[in-house]
Amino acid sequence: MAKEKVSIFDFKLFSKLMVYVNPYKKIYFFVMTAAILLSGFSALTPYLLKITVDDYIRVKDYGGMVFIIGMMLITLTLEVIFQFLFVYFANFLGQNVISDLRVVLFQKIVGFKMAYFDNSAVGRLVTRAVNDIETIASIFSQGLFMIIADLLKMLVVAVIMLLINWQLSLIVFSILPVILYATRLFQKSMKFAFEEVRLQVANLNSFVQERIIGMQIVQLFHRENIEYDNFIAINEKHKKAWLKTVWYNSIFFPVAEISSSITLGLLVWYGGLNVAVGGSVSLGTIFLFIQMSQMLFRPLRQIADKFNTLQMGMVAADRIFKILGTESQIVDKGYWQPEHIKGKILINNLSFSYLHGEEVIHRIDLEIQPGEKIAIVGATGSGKSTLINLLSRLYEFEEGEIFIDNHSIKDFTIRSLRQHLGIVLQDVFLFADTIYNNITLHNPNVTREMVFKAAKKIGVHEFIESLPGGYDYNVKERGVMLSSGQRQLIAFLRVYISNPSILILDEATSSIDSHSEELIKNATNKITCNKTSILIAHRLSTIKNADRIVVMDAGNIVEVGKHKELLKIKDGFYAQLYKIDFLEEAI
C-alpha cells in the first residue's frame, strides 16, 4: 500500500476540516485568544522576576518587593486559569469536530454500494472510522493550537530579549540554528515513521478482525499454528515501526537538552563576567535570560513532537476525506413511494458484471405475475443470488431493465423499494442484541404484541420462549448462541413481521434440520399466500410445488416450467440437477 504524501500542514485539507469547525466558531476564536494571552502571561512572569531582583532585592526595598511578588502571583494565577481554559476548550472543540465527522463518515459508509465492500477490508474501514477519526482530534487538542501558542510565546520572548540586551540575545540565538536543524531532521524522520506506524496498525487490525470472524475455519482446518506465525510476522512489523519512532526520539531529545545546557553555561559565563567587571548586565537580567532561554528552547523541542502529532492528524484527515470523497453510492433518483404494490415483476434484457468485461448475467428476460410463486434453481455460480441482488438494488446493472408493477425499480426510492421486499438469506446475520431487537431491528412501529402474534402464527413462539429470557435472550455477536436453523427462523420472523409484498427466500432452508424445515414450510405457506414469491433453493420439497421453476446456467435462463414438465425434457438442465441434487432426497 502506498504511503500517503501529506504536507506538514495542508491548507486545502484543513479548509475541509474547518467546515466541521464552523458550528463551534466561538470556541475556536476563544481558544485562539487564550493562546495569545498565554504567550503574554508566560513572558511577563520572568520579566517581573528581573524587576524584583534588580529594583527591590538588590536595594533591599522589601515593601516594593511584596507588591511586585503580588503582581507575579496574579500573573501566575491568570496564566494557570487561561492554561486550563485553553487545554479544556481545545480538546472540547476537537471532540465535537470528530463526533460530527464520525457521524458523517458512518452515514457515507452505510450508503456505499455492496461492490465497495467487496473491495475494502473490514479492518481498514474500522481503523478509519475509529482510530483515524480519533487522531484528527489531536490536530486541535495537541497540534495546531499548541504550535500556535508556542510560536507566539517564542516570538514574544525573542522580542523582549532583544530589547533588554542584544549581546546576551546573540548568545542564545547562536544555538538556535543547531536546534532548528535537529528539529527539522527529527520532524522529517518522524513523518515517515508515523506513516509506517499507521499502515502497520491498519494491517494488524485487519488481520486480527478477519481471523476472529473466521475462527471456526481457522480451527476446523488446523491453521492455528500457521495463523500464529503470520500474526508474529505482522506484529513484528508493527513493533519495528513503533521502535523506529522511539529511536528518533532517543536521539533528538538528548541533542536538544545538550544544546540548552550549553546555552545556559554561556549565559552564566558571559553574564557573570560582565557583572563582575561592573558591566551593563545586571543580576536580574541574567535570571531573565536563563528563564527566557528555556522558554525559547523548551517549546522548540516540543514543537517537533507537536508537528508529528499534527502530521498524524493530517494523514488521518486525508484518509477520512478520501472515503468521504468516494463516489460509490447507488444513485437514488427515485420518486415513487407507493404504500402498496401488486408484485408484478418484469425483467427485460438484463445484463450484469461484478468486474468490467466479465458478465455473470447475460441478457435475460423473465416475467413474474402478482402472487405467483417462482423457484429459481441452478448450479453454484449460475447467477441466482446475483439476480436477487439486482432486484433489491444492492448492485447496479449495466444493461436492461427491471420493472415492478410496470415501474422501473429505479423509479422507486431505494427505501420504498426495499420496504416492499422481504429477503431471507442462507447466511443469516444477527446483531449482538436480543432476539426481540433482531426481529424488529429497533423499528418503533413494531410492538411486542405484533411480534408475539406473528411468532405464534408461524409456530416459533414456543421455541423463542424456551430460551433463557425468551425474546430478551442476547444472541451475542453474529448470533453464535443459536444454531443455523434457529437463526434462520429468527430471520424468517423478521421478514414476516415486515409484511412485504414480494418475498425472496435465498436458499433459506438449505442449512436447517427437519423440525425447523417444517416450521419454515408452515411459515412459507402463510407468508406467500397471495404474494409474489421467489424461492432459490436446492431442496426438492421447497420447489416442486412452485407455480414455475426457472433454471439458470452460467448467467442465462435455460429452462422455465413446472416440476413435472421440466423432468420430461430429455437431457434437460433441470433433469440433470434433479438427478444429481434431488434424487437422494426424493428417495
Side-chain angles (χ1 to χ4, degrees):
M1 180 180 175
K3 295 179 180 178
E4 292 89 341
K5 300 298 181 183
V6 182
S7 59
I8 298 174
F9 190 78
D10 189 325
F11 285 96
K12 186 176 180 181
L13 200 56
F14 187 70
S15 66
K16 294 180 180 179
L17 271 179
M18 284 300 293
V19 173
Y20 298 90
V21 175
N22 283 337
Y24 313 100
K25 274 185 176 179
K26 290 182 179 179
I27 297 174
Y28 176 79
F29 287 117
F30 174 80
V31 173
M32 294 294 287
T33 303
I36 295 171
L37 291 174
L38 276 173
S39 64
F41 288 135
S42 58
L44 184 58
T45 303
Y47 185 74
L48 290 174
L49 178 61
K50 173 192 178 302
I51 294 174
T52 303
V53 172
D54 289 342
D55 297 347
Y56 299 100
I57 294 179
R58 189 173 60 83
V59 299
K60 299 182 179 180
D61 182 356
Y62 299 115
M65 185 176 68
V66 171
F67 171 77
I68 204 71
I69 289 175
M71 292 291 294
M72 290 177 65
L73 287 174
I74 292 172
T75 303
L76 288 170
T77 302
L78 288 172
E79 184 178 357
V80 169
I81 291 172
F82 275 95
Q83 183 71 38
F84 163 75
L85 293 173
F86 173 77
V87 172
Y88 177 80
F89 282 105
N91 281 275
F92 180 84
L93 176 63
Q95 289 302 318
N96 275 281
V97 168
I98 66 167
S99 176
D100 295 346
L101 189 57
R102 189 181 284 118
V103 170
V104 173
L105 178 66
F106 184 77
Q107 185 180 31
K108 181 78 173 183
I109 290 174
V110 298
F112 281 147
K113 300 176 184 177
M114 292 305 298
Y116 178 87
F117 300 102
D118 293 340
N119 299 299
S120 301
V122 175
R124 291 189 186 279
L125 288 176
V126 172
T127 299
R128 300 294 178 263
V130 180
N131 299 59
D132 285 343
I133 284 281
E134 199 63 42
T135 304
I136 292 174
S138 63
I139 292 177
F140 302 97
S141 61
Q142 302 171 40
L144 179 65
F145 292 130
M146 291 290 188
I147 291 172
I148 291 173
D150 285 343
L151 288 175
L152 284 172
K153 185 187 297 183
M154 291 168 62
L155 178 62
V156 172
V157 165
V159 170
I160 292 174
M161 290 170 70
L162 282 170
L163 290 174
I164 291 177
N165 191 293
W166 65 269
Q167 293 97 334
L168 290 176
S169 299
L170 287 178
I171 292 174
V172 176
F173 295 160
S174 66
I175 306 298
L176 272 180
V178 177
I179 298 182
L180 285 171
Y181 181 70
T183 300
R184 180 57 180 162
L185 287 179
F186 176 68
Q187 185 276 321
K188 288 175 101 176
S189 301
M190 289 295 282
K191 172 187 171 183
F192 294 112
F194 274 126
E195 284 178 355
E196 181 65 22
V197 165
R198 299 308 301 167
L199 174 63
Q200 295 307 326
V201 167
N203 288 341
L204 190 61
N205 284 350
S206 182
F207 180 89
V208 171
Q209 182 160 351
E210 284 185 350
R211 270 58 185 183
I212 290 175
I213 292 174
M215 188 55 67
Q216 186 177 18
I217 299 299
V218 172
Q219 295 183 354
L220 285 174
F221 287 87
H222 312 294
R223 289 187 58 84
E224 292 92 338
N225 291 335
I226 295 173
E227 298 300 344
Y228 174 75
D229 291 338
N230 290 337
F231 179 79
I232 287 177
I234 292 175
N235 192 49
E236 184 67 20
K237 290 181 180 178
H238 180 266
K239 182 188 74 174
K240 286 181 178 178
W242 274 110
L243 284 177
K244 192 178 289 184
T245 68
V246 174
W247 169 251
Y248 292 141
N249 277 290
S250 301
I251 294 174
F252 172 74
F253 286 103
V255 170
E257 285 297 327
I258 289 172
S259 301
S260 179
S261 299
I262 291 173
T263 303
L264 287 178
L266 290 173
L267 285 173
V268 172
W269 170 73
Y270 179 83
L273 286 178
N274 193 282
V275 171
V277 298
S280 61
V281 177
S282 67
L283 190 60
T285 301
I286 296 176
F287 277 111
L288 173 69
F289 270 80
I290 288 174
Q291 279 195 294
M292 285 199 162
S293 65
Q294 294 304 299
M295 292 174 63
L296 193 65
F297 290 159
R298 190 181 301 114
L300 196 58
R301 295 197 299 269
Q302 294 172 350
I303 280 176
D305 192 44
K306 289 164 186 171
F307 265 122
N308 291 322
T309 299
L310 182 61
Q311 178 66 36
M312 288 181 69
M314 284 297 180
V315 169
D318 184 57
R319 289 171 168 175
I320 297 302
F321 283 112
K322 279 181 180 176
I323 296 178
L324 292 177
T326 300
E327 294 300 328
S328 187
Q329 288 83 10
I330 298 289
V331 179
D332 189 3
K333 295 183 178 179
Y335 58 88
W336 202 39
Q337 303 181 62
E339 291 187 13
H340 305 285
I341 62 172
K342 295 178 180 178
K344 179 183 177 181
I345 301 172
L346 176 62
I347 299 173
N348 182 30
N349 200 32
L350 185 68
S351 297
F352 174 74
S353 58
Y354 289 104
L355 298 175
H356 183 69
E358 299 180 16
E359 278 192 354
V360 293
I361 296 290
H362 310 290
R363 300 183 180 280
I364 66 172
D365 297 289
L366 180 65
E367 185 171 350
I368 304 172
Q369 297 301 323
E372 189 177 13
K373 184 187 294 184
I374 294 292
I376 302 179
V377 300
T380 300
S382 60
K384 306 184 300 295
S385 295
T386 298
L387 193 59
I388 302 308
N389 289 335
L390 297 178
L391 180 61
S392 56
R393 292 198 72 187
L394 290 177
Y395 294 85
E396 291 280 54
F397 44 85
E398 295 90 1
E399 297 181 30
E401 192 57 90
I402 301 176
F403 297 92
I404 294 179
D405 288 2
N406 299 320
H407 284 266
S408 169
I409 61 171
K410 294 179 181 179
D411 291 341
F412 288 78
T413 64
I414 291 178
R415 180 182 179 85
S416 176
L417 172 68
R418 292 173 182 170
Q419 281 180 334
H420 291 297
L421 300 177
I423 303 177
V424 179
L425 301 173
Q426 179 183 7
D427 183 16
V428 176
F429 185 92
L430 297 181
F431 294 95
D433 206 336
T434 64
I435 287 180
Y436 177 78
N437 287 335
N438 269 290
I439 294 169
T440 66
L441 296 178
H442 297 276
N443 185 345
N445 297 321
V446 179
T447 64
R448 278 188 174 265
E449 290 71 23
M450 292 169 63
V451 173
F452 295 161
K453 185 178 179 180
K456 289 174 182 177
K457 269 192 175 182
I458 66 173
V460 300
H461 180 71
E462 291 183 4
F463 141 65
I464 296 175
E465 285 291 351
S466 68
L467 297 171
Y471 287 85
D472 295 318
Y473 179 64
N474 193 310
V475 300
K476 305 300 181 184
E477 188 172 2
R478 299 181 66 86
V480 295
M481 302 304 291
L482 301 178
S483 68
S484 59
Q486 290 172 330
R487 290 197 296 271
Q488 288 193 336
L489 287 171
I490 298 302
F492 206 93
L493 180 55
R494 179 162 63 192
V495 169
Y496 184 63
I497 203 75
S498 68
N499 192 29
S501 301
I502 298 173
L503 176 67
I504 301 169
L505 302 181
D506 189 354
E507 302 188 15
T509 61
S510 63
S511 303
I512 61 175
D513 54 52
S514 57
H515 175 66
S516 297
E517 183 183 0
E518 286 302 314
L519 293 175
I520 291 292
K521 285 172 63 178
N522 175 58
T524 301
N525 292 332
K526 290 181 180 297
I527 197 172
T528 58
C529 182
N530 298 320
K531 293 181 187 291
T532 304
S533 305
I534 301 175
L535 313 177
I536 300 176
H538 289 302
R539 287 180 183 266
L540 175 61
S541 57
T542 306
I543 67 171
K544 66 180 181 180
N545 294 322
D547 296 323
R548 283 187 299 158
I549 298 172
V550 177
V551 185
M552 294 190 68
D553 180 66
N556 296 289
I557 293 178
V558 292
E559 293 173 356
V560 179
K562 291 183 177 293
H563 171 68
K564 291 182 179 180
E565 295 172 351
L566 294 175
L567 285 179
K568 292 178 182 179
I569 301 174
K570 187 177 181 181
D571 297 327
F573 284 89
Y574 182 76
Q576 293 297 321
L577 286 172
Y578 175 77
K579 289 177 184 178
I580 297 171
D581 296 327
F582 301 151
L583 192 56
E584 183 178 343
E585 181 183 347
I587 294 172

